């Protein structure tokens, strides 16, 4: 047991050392972070499809912790002034579980593998990215659907908590498709920012996850995975028809998350790295001449 602990400590120390070496060798810390995330994304693109699916289903189930905790807090303190600030803490639980357990969450994958594809935008890499997105999204939706059905039909929660679940879902459905999209852009951007921060977070990873996902909740944004649990709960309990899950919720929210994570954050992050690379190349040429 002691030997395993020593090996784990050595691996963590080696990763930290390698990261510091990368920062020293590359022209900026941002580029070192970019390379770490890009390399992780490249590995995800090559993963076995069934491993991805199982991990994504597990993530969908784990995200139900956000719905559960937020529902319990809403039932107990939702009526109090400023209760939303504490209620939103519940939203962070699922994200902490999923990210610390290294499960596949769709909105994380709007930046991690995308950086790898941007580095080498080949047709094969684009196909691998589409495969990854499709499998992870499907798995997340399967997991969230199972959780939503269980919350609606299993005799676990008292009427006050069930009403809280209903209220949370109906609050999301009060948004127009345009609002769904716009709010999802913000949450996609926040998740991408969080992913970018984690390699440098060290022992404070949980605090980073907590702060960023709490911000998603307190800002009343929309998220395709957590929101799916909230809306499918309404569908399974008969509060809304299933068509309303597709529109106005799922399609605008999915597109907004992709836009915020990929087309805004990932593109801008990759752009600054390309500028660093060009600057580094010009400096190298000047030195050699």
């Amino acid at each position: 047991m002691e030997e395993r602990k020593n090996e784990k400590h050595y691996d963590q120390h080696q990763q930290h050392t390698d990261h510091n070496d990368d920062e020293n060798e590359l022209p900026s810390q941002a580029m070192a972070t970019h390379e770490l995330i890009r390399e992780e994304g490249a590995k995800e693109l090559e993963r076995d499809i069934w491993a991805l699916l199982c991990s994504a289903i597990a993530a969908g189930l784990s995200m139900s912790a956000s719905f559960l905790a937020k529902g319990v807090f809403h039932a107990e303190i939702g009526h109090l002034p400023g209760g939303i600030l504490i209620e939103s803490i519940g939203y962070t639980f699922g994200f902490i579980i999923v990210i610390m357990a290294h499960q596949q969450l769709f909105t994380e994958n709007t930046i991690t593998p995308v950086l790898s594809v941007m580095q080498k935008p080949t047709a094969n890499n684009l196909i691998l990215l589409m495969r990854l997105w499709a499998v992870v999204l499907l798995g997340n939706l399967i997991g969230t659907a199972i959780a939503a059905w269980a919350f609606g039909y299993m005799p676990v929660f008292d009427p006050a908590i069930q009403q809280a679940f209903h209220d949370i879902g109906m609050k999301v459905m009060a948004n127009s498709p345009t609002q769904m999209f716009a709010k999802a852009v913000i949450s996609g951007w926040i998740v991408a920012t969080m992913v970018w921060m984690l390699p440098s977070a060290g022992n404070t990873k949980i605090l980073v996850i907590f702060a960023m996902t709490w911000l998603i909740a307190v800002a009343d944004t929309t998220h395709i995975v957590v929101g799916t649990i909230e809306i499918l709960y309404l569908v399974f309990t008969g509060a809304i028809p299933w068509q309303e899950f597709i529109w106005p919720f799922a399609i605008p929210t999915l597109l907004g998350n992709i836009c915020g994570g990929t087309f805004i954050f990932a593109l801008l992050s990759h752009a600054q790295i390309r500028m660093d690379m060009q600057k580094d190349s010009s400096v190298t040429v000047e030195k050699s001449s």
Side-chain angles (χ1 to χ4, degrees):
M1 179 66 71
E2 188 64 30
E3 183 179 348
R4 289 182 180 178
K5 288 182 179 179
N6 291 334
E7 289 177 356
K8 182 177 180 183
H9 177 74
Y10 173 78
D11 290 341
Q12 292 175 342
H13 175 73
Q14 189 65 34
Q15 290 176 359
H16 181 71
T17 302
D18 292 342
H19 181 52
N20 288 338
D21 289 342
D22 288 341
E23 289 184 351
N24 293 330
E25 293 175 3
L26 295 172
S28 69
Q29 290 186 349
M31 190 168 181
T33 300
H34 178 280
E35 283 303 294
L36 283 173
I37 297 174
R38 185 191 63 78
E39 289 173 4
E40 182 181 345
K43 294 177 183 177
E44 296 298 334
L45 289 173
E46 299 291 344
R47 282 190 68 184
D48 177 75
I49 190 170
W50 294 109
L52 285 172
L53 182 63
C54 290
S55 181
I57 292 173
L61 290 168
S62 297
M63 290 303 292
S64 65
S66 291
F67 187 42
L68 172 59
K70 190 176 180 181
V72 172
F73 288 168
H74 182 82
E76 297 297 330
I77 62 172
H79 60 284
L80 299 177
I84 184 65
L85 300 177
I86 301 176
E87 179 184 323
S88 296
I89 292 174
Y91 194 87
T92 69
F93 288 17
F95 285 95
I96 291 173
I97 294 170
V98 167
I99 295 171
M100 297 304 294
H102 300 287
Q103 296 170 348
Q104 289 289 334
L105 183 66
F106 178 78
T107 45
E108 277 191 276
N109 282 299
T110 58
I111 179 172
T112 307
V114 172
L115 294 181
S116 182
V117 174
M118 287 180 179
Q119 189 80 0
K120 294 182 179 178
T122 64
N124 183 60
N125 280 344
L126 288 173
I127 292 172
L128 289 175
L129 178 62
M130 292 300 105
R131 184 199 72 147
L132 175 65
W133 278 4
V135 172
V136 172
L137 181 60
L138 175 62
N140 286 168
L141 294 182
I142 291 173
T144 53
I146 294 171
W149 179 87
F151 283 18
Y153 285 97
M154 293 183 68
V156 177
F157 307 108
D158 60 44
I161 295 178
Q162 290 177 339
Q163 183 62 45
F165 291 156
H166 176 87
D167 293 343
I168 291 170
M170 293 305 294
K171 184 179 180 181
V172 176
M173 291 304 295
N175 291 297
S176 68
T178 302
Q179 290 174 318
M180 295 281 193
F181 174 82
K183 291 182 177 183
V185 170
I186 295 173
S187 68
W189 176 77
I190 293 174
V191 170
T193 303
M194 176 186 67
V195 171
W196 189 266
M197 294 168 65
L198 287 178
S200 302
N203 294 328
T204 63
K205 281 186 177 180
I206 290 182
L207 292 178
V208 171
I209 299 168
F210 175 88
M212 300 302 284
T213 55
W214 177 82
L215 181 59
I216 292 174
V218 79
D220 194 27
T221 63
T222 53
H223 186 276
I224 185 61
V225 181
V226 182
T228 293
I229 304 176
E230 297 168 344
I231 307 309
L232 286 183
Y233 177 85
L234 299 178
V235 172
F236 290 141
T237 55
I240 62 172
W242 68 267
Q243 294 91 334
E244 292 190 14
F245 166 74
I246 303 297
W247 189 272
F249 170 71
I251 293 177
T253 302
L254 175 62
L255 294 177
N257 282 163
I258 293 174
C259 184
T262 298
F263 296 111
I264 294 180
F265 192 92
L267 281 173
L268 290 175
S269 299
H270 187 69
Q272 70 163 321
I273 299 310
R274 287 185 65 86
M275 294 175 68
D276 281 339
M277 292 174 65
Q278 292 172 358
K279 181 179 179 181
D280 186 54
S281 298
S282 64
V283 170
T284 303
V285 170
E286 290 178 1
K287 287 182 178 180
S288 62
S289 60

